[in-house]
Amino acid sequence: VRRPNRPLERLLPKDASRLTVVACPNCDNPENMGAIVRISAAFGVDALLLGSGCCDPFSRRVIRVSMGTAFTMPIYESRDLDGDVKRLRDEWRFELAGTVLDDRAEQLDAARRSDRFAILMGNEDAGLDTSWTDLCHRRLTIPMCRGTDSLNVAVAAGIVLHHFTRESVYDTR
């Protein structure tokens, strides 16, 4: 039997000084979802927020790829991800950063984070819709060589999360 979602307020303490959240509106591939769950757990992400366009984070394939971290990673299956992301931004003072493929976006290698930081990740096929990037304070891209225009979303999540969490991950070893 599946437990119901804990309220967002119980999942993320409003008074915490440093929080990292990953929000995925439409990650519909179980392998990518499982990898994102595992990567998020590995890099100390405080919560993973999933939109209605995402696959089931507790499906057999996701659990297998996540190596069981789906059971320990705080996952919030939102019924209104747009509203929840706006609450993070407006009520909880999170800085929102959307990951995009755009030469005009901020290059990841020079990017710094705020203490309350939410990263929005799209899916393999379509990325993030402009309705999501319009909510964000920043748009980030991973610099790539040799005409490579994109990476698997789980690989991109690993690169982005390592960049933004490396100090705190090393502090908790």
Side-chain angles (χ1 to χ4, degrees), residues 16 27-28 36 58 89 94 101 111 121 133 135 140 149 151 155:
C27 184
D28 54 2
I36 290 170
F58 299 103
R89 182 191 64 196
F94 269 78
L101 297 173
M121 306 287 301
T133 57
L135 293 176
L140 302 169
D149 66 348
L151 294 171
V155 170

Side-chain angles (χ1 to χ4, degrees), residues 38 50 146 166:
R38 187 172 180 196
L50 305 180
R146 296 188 179 90
R166 61 183 176 244

Side-chain angles (χ1 to χ4, degrees), residues 11-45:
L11 195 66
L12 291 170
K14 281 189 178 183
D15 58 347
S17 61
R18 187 169 175 93
L19 291 169
T20 306
V21 170
V22 172
C24 297
N26 57 352
C27 184
D28 54 2
N29 180 296
E31 284 85 13
N32 286 335
M33 177 61 72
I36 290 170
V37 170
R38 187 172 180 196
I39 290 164
S40 294
F43 288 113
V45 168

Side-chain angles (χ1 to χ4, degrees), residues 91-103:
E91 294 175 30
W92 296 10
R93 302 174 321 279
F94 269 78
E95 179 180 30
L96 306 180
T99 55
V100 297
L101 297 173
D102 186 342
D103 293 336

